[in-house]
C-alpha cells in the first residue's frame, strides 16, 4: 500500500516537473524513487510523449472575427457611432494623445493577425493574380467517382483540358469504366469546345436507348451548338475553375487552410471547404453527361499548387448528419458512408502553354443549333455608359444583342467584365431589381443593386437610370466591381415598391433600422451579411417581413439564409410535406422541414399594456443544417 | 503569453473603442484557440469568442489590474466556452430527439484530429488546465487563479488529464499491458 501511494505522489510530481513546476523540496526524493521504480520511469516517458503531442498541436486556421465582434460592441454601446466616441475622446485626451494613438494603430505589425487568416487572404490574392496572368493551359486528369449506381460501384474517367484565355476551351472526358454486363450502360463521354463566337457540347443523351427501352427514337449521344455567342455567355459558361479556382476561392471567409503538403512531387496548400462553396471547381469536369450529386455540406479537400495555383488534386467526401442521410435517401444514394470519398480528381499532367494546335478550338455546328443573337462591332467612341476604370482589364469585344442592347466586354487572362446597356424612354422603365439584390448607395442619391455569383452567372450590378438600364457582370471581386460601377457616371435610381397587384404590395425596406430582430441576427455563418429585406402587405391585417442574408462574393445551392417574421400568420398551418418534424424548445413548438431547410415557430411577443400577440417566425437555411438554423433562431430571442 | 501595452488597456477601460479593437485583434486568435479546445467545435468557438469580447468590453471598467490582462480575459473566455457548451448540449439534445448525429463538416479538422478528439473526451475540469498549460504555456499559479482552484489541485488534475490522454492516444497494442 505504501509503495503504491508513493508512486501516485511521485507521478504527480513527474507531471509537474515536465512543466518546470515541481516542488523543490521533493526533487531529491523523486529522483531517488525514479532510480528504483521502472514503472514510474515508463510513466514519465508516456507523460512526456503525451505532453509533446499536445504542444505540437498544429494551430490550423483561425478565423478573423474582429469585424463581427466590433459590430456587436457598437450595438452594445447603444448604437452610438464610433465617430461620436472619437469626438469625445478627442476632447478629453487632447490632440497629442490622439495623434499618438493614431501612430500606434498605424504601426501595428501585420504579424498580429492570426496566421490562418493571413494565409487564406494571401492565397485568394495569389489566385486572383494567377487568373490575370494566365495565357494558356493544358492538363490531363484522372477522375474516380463512387456511388453513381448501386450495380456499378466505382467509375473511372480520364479528362483532357486545353484553355486559351479568355474564351477558348476544349474539354474531353472519356469513360474508362468496366460496366457490369449484360445490360448496356450509357457511355459517359463528354466533349466541349468553345471559342469567342461558338460553343458546342456532345454528351450522352438524357434518354439513352441502352438504359431506357422507351427511348428508342433518340440517339445515344446528343449534340448542341450555340452560334453568334455573346461574350462570356452565362448559358454556355466555361468551366475555368479547374484551371485556376478563381470563383471557388473568391472569398477568404469560405475556406480553411490546413497546411502545406507535397502532392505529386510539388508543394501544395491543403484547403478544406464545404461543397456548397466549391461548386465551380467540383462541377468543372462535370460540364455535361450523367454524374452523381453531392450534399451542400459534403466536405471538399483541395490541394492547390503553390507555384502555379492550379489544383493538383481535389475530392468530395460524404457528410454524416441526419439531414444528409435524409437527402441521400431522397436522391437514392443509398450506399454513401459517412466520410467516404465519393469523387476524386487528380492532375496527372499540366503545363502552361502559349500556342495550341490549329483547329483545336474549332467548335462544330451540329445537333440542336441555337443563336445567341450577338453581332460584333467596334468599341464606341463616346464615353456615355462606359466605365472610366475597368480594374486594369483591356477592351476585348464589343457588339449588340438581338434585342438591341449594347455589350462591351473587357478581359485580362481569365478575368473578365461585361457591361450591357439598354436604353429606354424615361416614361417606360424597363426593369426593377430582384428582391434578393442588395441595395448599395455608392454616393448620396446614387443607388446600384448587387448580386453575388451563382452557378451560372458571376457577380452582377444593375444601375437603373432615368433612360437606361446598365447591367454589369464580372468575375472581379465585389469591391472591384463596385469601383467599376461607380466609374460609369450613370446615376442609379432607388427602387421603390417592387410589386403591387391585386391588393398585395411588396416594398424594399431597411430592415436593420425598423426591425430589431433582423439587425440582431448575430449567429449567421462567417462573412454573411444582410443583402435585402422586403415588407409585404395584403388586404388582410398584418404584414410580413422577409430578410435575406448572403455571402458577399458567391452563393451557390440556393439563396443563403432567409429570416421571415409575419404578424399575418397566427398558427403553423398543417403541411403535407415529407420530412417534417416537430419538437418543443422553451415550451414553444418548432417545426423543421428537411426539404426546405426551414425552421418555423409561433412566438408570443409581449405588447404594451401586458397583452401578448402571436408572431410567425422562420429561419430558412437551404444549404446548411438544423444546427445552423437553431443557432440563428437562438440569436433572435 | 505577451501582455498588452498598459496604456491600451487603460484607454479601452476609459471607453476608447479603437483601443479595445486593438485588444480584440491582438487576442482574438488566442481566445478562439482556447474556446476551440474547450468546446471542440469551430463554429461554437466563433460564438464563444464573440461573446467573450462583448462581455470583456462590458466588464472592462471593473478590471483593476489585479490579474494579468490575458488571465482576466481567459477567465471570461472560459466562462463563455462553458455557456456555449451548455447551449450546444441543448441543441444537441434537440437534434438527438430528431434522431440526428453531430453536424457535418467541421471545415478545419484533419490535422491532429486524434489528439483533439482525445482532448475533447476529457472531463471539462481536466481539459481546462491541460489546454491552458500545454497549449498556452500558462503557469500553474495563473491557472489556479483563473479557475479559482488551489495549485495542488491543478497539479493533480494536469497529471490525471495527461494520464487519461496517454491511454487514449496509445497504440492499440499497448492496451492492457498494465504495470510490469
Amino acid at each position: 500500500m505504501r509503495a503504491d501511494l508513493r508512486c501516485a505522489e511521485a507521478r504527480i510530481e513527474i507531471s509537474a516537473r515536465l512543466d518546470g513546476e515541481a516542488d523543490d523540496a521533493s526533487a531529491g526524493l523523486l529522483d531517488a524513487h525514479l532510480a528504483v521504480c521502472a514503472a514510474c520511469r515508463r510513466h514519465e516517458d508516456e507523460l512526456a510523449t503525451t505532453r509533446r503531442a499536445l504542444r505540437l498541436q498544429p494551430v490550423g486556421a483561425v478565423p478573423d472575427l474582429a469585424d463581427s465582434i466590433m459590430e456587436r460592441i457598437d450595438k452594445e454601446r447603444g448604437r452610438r457611432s464610433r465617430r461620436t466616441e472619437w469626438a469625445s475622446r478627442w476632447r478629453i485626451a487632447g490632440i497629442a494623445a490622439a495623434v499618438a494613438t493614431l501612430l500606434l494603430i498605424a504601426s501595428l505589425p501585420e504579424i498580429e493577425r492570426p496566421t490562418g487568416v493571413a494565409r487564406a487572404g494571401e492565397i485568394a490574392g495569389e489566385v486572383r493574380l494567377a487568373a490575370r496572368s494566365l495565357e494558356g493551359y493544358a492538363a490531363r486528369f484522372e477522375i474516380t467517382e463512387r456511388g453513381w449506381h448501386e450495380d456499378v460501384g466505382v467509375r473511372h474517367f480520364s479528362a483532357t483540358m486545353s484553355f486559351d484565355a479568355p474564351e477558348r476551351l476544349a474539354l474531353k472526358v472519356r469513360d474508362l469504366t468496366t460496366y457490369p454486363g449484360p445490360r448496356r450502360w450509357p457511355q459517359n463521354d463528354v466533349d466541349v469546345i468553345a471559342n469567342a463566337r461558338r460553343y458546342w457540347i456532345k454528351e450522352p443523351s438524357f434518354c439513352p436507348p441502352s438504359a431506357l427501352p422507351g427511348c428508342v427514337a433518340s440517339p445515344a449521344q446528343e449534340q448542341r451548338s450555340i452560334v453568334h455567342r455573346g461574350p462570356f455567355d452565362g448559358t454556355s459558361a466555361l468551366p475555368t475553375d479547374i484551371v485556376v479556382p478563381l470563383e471557388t476561392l473568391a472569398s477568404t471567409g469560405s475556406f480553411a487552410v490546413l497546411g502545406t503538403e507535397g502532392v505529386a512531387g510539388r508543394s501544395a496548400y491543403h484547403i478544406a471547404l464545404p461543397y456548397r462553396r466549391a461548386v465551380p471547381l467540383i462541377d468543372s469536369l462535370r460540364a455535361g453527361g450523367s454524374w452523381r450529386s453531392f450534399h451542400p455540406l459534403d466536405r471538399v479537400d483541395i490541394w492547390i499548387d503553390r507555384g502555379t495555383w492550379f489544383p493538383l488534386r481535389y475530392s468530395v467526401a460524404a457528410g454524416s448528419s441526419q439531414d444528409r442521410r435524409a437527402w441521400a435517401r431522397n436522391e437514392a444514394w443509398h450506399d454513401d458512408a459517412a466520410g467516404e470519398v465519393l469523387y476524386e480528381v487528380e492532375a496527372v499532367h499540366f503545363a502552361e502553354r502559349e500556342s495550341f494546335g490549329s483547329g483545336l478550338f474549332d467548335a462544330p455546328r451540329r445537333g440542336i443549333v441555337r443563336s445567341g443573337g450577338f453581332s460584333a462591332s467596334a468599341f464606341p467612341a463616346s464615353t456615355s455608359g462606359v466605365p472610366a476604370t475597368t480594374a486594369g482589364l483591356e477592351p476585348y469585344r464589343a457588339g449588340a444583342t438581338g434585342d438591341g442592347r449594347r455589350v462591351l466586354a473587357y478581359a485580362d487572362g481569365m478575368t473578365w467584365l461585361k457591361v450591357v446597356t439598354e436604353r429606354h424612354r424615361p416614361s417606360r422603365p424597363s426593369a426593377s431589381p430582384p428582391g434578393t439584390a442588395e441595395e448599395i448607395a455608392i454616393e448620396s442619391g446614387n443607388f446600384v443593386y448587387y448580386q453575388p455569383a451563382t452557378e451560372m452567372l458571376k457577380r452582377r450590378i444593375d444601375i437603373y437610370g432615368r433612360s437606361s438600364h446598365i447591367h454589369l457582370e464580372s468575375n472581379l471581386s465585389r469591391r472591384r466591381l463596385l469601383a467599376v460601377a461607380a466609374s460609369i457616371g450613370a446615376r442609379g435610381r432607388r427602387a421603390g415598391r417592387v410589386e403591387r397587384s391585386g391588393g398585395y404590395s411588396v416594398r424594399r425596406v431597411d430592415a436593420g433600422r425598423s426591425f430589431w430582430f433582423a439587425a440582431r441576427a448575430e449567429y449567421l455563418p462567417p462573412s454573411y451579411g444582410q443583402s435585402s429585406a422586403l415588407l409585404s402587405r395584403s388586404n388582410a391585417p398584418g404584414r410580413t417581413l422577409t430578410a435575406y442574408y448572403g455571402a458577399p462574393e458567391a452563393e451557390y445551392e440556393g439563396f443563403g439564409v432567409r429570416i421571415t417574421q409575419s404578424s399575418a400568420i397566427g398558427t403553423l398551418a398543417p403541411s403535407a410535406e415529407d420530412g417534417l418534424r416537430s419538437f418543443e424548445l422553451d415550451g414553444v413548438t418548432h417545426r423543421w422541414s428537411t426539404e426546405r431547410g426551414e425552421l418555423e415557430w409561433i412566438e408570443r411577443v409581449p405588447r404594451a399594456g401586458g397583452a401578448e400577440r402571436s408572431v410567425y417566425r422562420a429561419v430558412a437555411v437551404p444549404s446548411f443544417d438544423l444546427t445552423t438554423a437553431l443557432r440563428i433562431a437562438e440569436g433572435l430571442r | 503569453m505577451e501582455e498588452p501595452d498598459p496604456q491600451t488597456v487603460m484607454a479601452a477601460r476609459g471607453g476608447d473603442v479603437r483601443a479595445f479593437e486593438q485588444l480584440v485583434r491582438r487576442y482574438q486568435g488566442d481566445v478562439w484557440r482556447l474556446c476551440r479546445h474547450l468546446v471542440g467545435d469551430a463554429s461554437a468557438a466563433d460564438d464563444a469568442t464573440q461573446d467573450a469580447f462583448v462581455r470583456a468590453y462590458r466588464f472592462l471598467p471593473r478590471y483593476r489590474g489585479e490579474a494579468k490582462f490575458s488571465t482576466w480575459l481567459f477567465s471570461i473566455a472560459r466562462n463563455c466556452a462553458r455557456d456555449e457548451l451548455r447551449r450546444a448540449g441543448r441543441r444537441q439534445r434537440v437534434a438527438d430527439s430528431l434522431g440526428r448525429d453531430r453536424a457535418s463538416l467541421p471545415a478545419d479538422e484533419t490535422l491532429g484530429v486524434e489528439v483533439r478528439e482525445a482532448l475533447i473526451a476529457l472531463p471539462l475540469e481536466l481539459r481546462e488546465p491541460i489546454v491552458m498549460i500545454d497549449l498556452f504555456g500558462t503557469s500553474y499559479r495563473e491557472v489556479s487563479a483563473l479557475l479559482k482552484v488551489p495549485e495542488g489541485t491543478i497539479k493533480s488534475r494536469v497529471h490525471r488529464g495527461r494520464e487519461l490522454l496517454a491511454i487514449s492516444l496509445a497504440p492499440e497494442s499497448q492496451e492492457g499491458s498494465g504495470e510490469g
Side-chain angles (χ1 to χ4, degrees), chain A residues 4 8 11-19 21-23 39-40 42-43 46-47 50-51 53-55 57-70 72-74 76-77 80 82 85-86 89 101-102 104-105 108 112-115 256 258-259 261 270 272-274 295 297-301 319-325 522-523 526 581-586 592 625-627 630-631 634 637, chain B residues 2 5 8 11 14-22 24-26 28-30 32-33 37 41-51 53-55 57-58 84 87-88 90-92 94-95 97-116 119 130-131 133-135 137-141 151-152 155-156 158-163 165-167 169 174 177-180:
Chain A
D4 280 351
R11 289 175 179 198
I12 293 174
E13 284 304 316
I14 289 169
S15 163
R17 189 152 79 172
L18 291 171
D19 299 321
E21 299 259 6
D23 184 0
C40 280
R42 231 180 4 255
H43 191 73
E46 280 170 14
L47 291 182
T50 309
R51 183 172 174 276
L54 279 175
R55 297 200 166 215
Q57 267 294 285
V59 171
V62 175
D64 186 353
L65 300 168
D67 288 345
S68 49
I69 291 169
M70 293 318 292
R72 282 185 59 186
I73 299 289
D74 278 348
E76 176 78 18
R77 292 162 58 234
R80 270 187 297 155
R82 284 199 211 179
E85 188 75 28
W86 252 123
R89 214 196 149 275
T101 312
L102 275 174
L104 183 65
I105 292 168
L108 270 182
E112 293 220 336
R113 271 185 298 156
T115 49
L258 300 183
E261 289 166 35
H270 180 184
L273 66 172
H295 186 262
L297 295 182
D298 280 352
R299 178 193 171 114
V300 169
D301 285 276
S320 63
S321 68
Q322 173 71 17
D323 288 341
R324 208 266 176 206
R325 281 203 293 277
E522 288 163 356
Y523 292 91
R581 321 235 178 132
S582 290
F583 56 91
E584 294 277 315
L585 194 66
D586 292 337
W592 169 247
D625 56 4
L626 173 60
T627 313
L630 283 169
R631 198 183 287 264
E634 241 166 41
R637 286 199 198 98
Chain B
E2 245 174 74
D5 171 14
T8 311
D16 181 346
V17 185
R18 300 302 289 262
F20 187 76
E21 187 169 349
Q22 283 180 46
V24 170
R25 293 196 182 277
R26 166 68 184 80
Q28 61 162 338
D30 288 328
W32 188 84
R33 275 194 291 275
H37 287 292
D41 165 78
S43 62
D46 290 356
D47 294 346
T49 305
Q50 298 193 24
D51 289 347
F53 280 106
V54 172
R55 235 181 267 184
Y57 183 80
R58 213 177 284 164
E84 190 51 43
R87 279 200 292 269
R90 202 174 76 146
R91 276 197 294 272
Q92 190 61 45
V94 169
S97 72
L98 299 185
R100 61 197 299 286
D101 41 36
R102 290 192 64 233
S104 52
L105 195 102
D108 56 346
E109 321 273 317
T110 305
L111 300 177
V113 100
E114 250 177 61
V115 174
R116 209 174 291 162
L119 198 57
I130 290 260
V131 166
I133 288 162
D134 278 338
L135 282 86
T138 315
S139 74
Y140 283 28
R141 181 189 294 183
E151 244 181 280
K155 208 154 133 179
S156 57
V158 169
H159 171 249
R160 181 73 189 131
R162 284 182 181 150
E163 214 174 13
L165 283 174
I167 293 168
L169 291 174
Q174 278 186 14
S177 69
E179 305 231 89

Side-chain angles (χ1 to χ4, degrees), chain A residues 354-369:
Chain A
E354 280 169 17
S355 63
F356 294 89
S358 69
L360 180 64
F361 300 112
D362 290 352
R365 182 193 169 114
R366 260 185 237 140
I368 303 161
V369 178

